Amino acid sequence: MSIHTDIDGPKPKGHAAARSASFMASYLDALTLVERLHRLLLDVIKDEFERVGILEINAVQALLLFNVGDNEVTAGELKTRGYYQGSNVSYNLKKLVDLGYMHHQRSEIDRRSVRVRLSEKGRNVRAIIAQLFVTHADGLIARDVLDHDGLDNITGALRRVERYWTEQIRYIY
């Protein structure tokens, strides 16, 4: 995704124009940062997996295992929770089942629906990622990068943006 800073459309006049241009620049910078942080998180997970010798799954699949956790879910549930896009989740779940990281079982009620849960191998990957996140959290605090209040502020702001974007998708048409 590439963020373009040349936004077409009517431009506000006077002081509002400067404030709007400044906000737009900050907003686009924040969007770029969120995207870059997500890619960086995937790189950090990939590096950890290379370090411990897990090479058959990628970072997206590892995060999927982490997010499933102790739950038994369908691909649809993962999509509706907002973790993954449709075709990506189906492909990754199939691959994880084929590699033995997940168990799958057809629903007794709706035979079209398949429920998945982590296998022992999947729980081991989840534990590796959980430990990686604990190490990161400890490092952020120890190096005074972020404290609890700062993290709460970031999370609160991101949740407000998430709600706003969700409303735009659901109610704009």
Side-chain angles (χ1 to χ4, degrees):
M1 178 174 131
S2 174
I3 305 294
H4 299 283
T5 56
D6 183 21
I7 305 295
D8 294 329
K11 306 285 189 254
K13 305 274 188 218
H15 179 66
R19 188 175 59 215
S20 178
S22 173
F23 184 84
M24 181 57 68
S26 294
Y27 177 61
L28 294 176
D29 187 40
L31 292 176
T32 301
L33 183 58
V34 167
E35 179 188 14
R36 201 167 53 238
L37 284 171
H38 176 68
R39 283 194 313 264
L40 191 56
L41 173 62
L42 295 177
D43 287 344
V44 166
I45 292 169
K46 177 181 169 281
D47 287 350
E48 179 67 9
F49 276 33
E50 287 173 358
R51 190 183 69 72
V52 298
I54 299 175
L55 305 175
E56 63 185 356
I57 63 172
N58 64 39
V60 170
Q61 293 162 344
L63 271 178
L64 193 148
L65 293 170
F66 181 80
N67 288 326
V68 168
D70 293 329
N71 301 308
E72 185 175 288
V73 297
T74 65
E77 289 168 341
L78 289 170
K79 287 184 284 187
T80 57
R81 289 180 191 173
Y83 291 136
Y84 304 95
Q85 299 297 317
S87 61
N88 292 344
V89 73
S90 298
Y91 167 81
N92 285 317
L93 287 176
K94 181 180 182 334
K95 181 145 182 160
L96 290 167
V97 166
D98 290 346
L99 292 170
Y101 290 94
M102 300 189 101
H103 297 295
H104 72 292
Q105 180 178 355
R106 289 228 175 262
S107 170
E108 294 295 324
I109 298 166
D110 180 358
R111 300 299 293 167
R112 297 169 297 173
S113 178
V114 176
R115 301 195 65 77
V116 295
R117 70 186 189 297
L118 300 186
S119 66
E120 185 64 32
K121 193 174 174 183
R123 285 192 297 278
N124 290 339
V125 167
R126 186 177 193 283
I128 290 168
I129 296 207
Q131 183 55 54
L132 178 66
F133 291 166
V134 166
T135 301
H136 290 169
D138 290 345
L140 289 168
I141 292 168
R143 295 182 184 171
D144 289 327
V145 173
L146 202 55
D147 62 12
H148 193 54
D149 289 339
L151 190 58
D152 283 348
N153 289 336
I154 291 168
T155 304
L158 290 173
R159 287 193 193 286
R160 290 190 301 276
V161 170
E162 178 185 35
R163 274 193 302 273
Y164 176 78
W165 285 350
T166 301
E167 289 169 3
Q168 297 308 298
I169 293 167
R170 291 186 183 153
Y171 305 115
I172 200 159
Y173 300 106

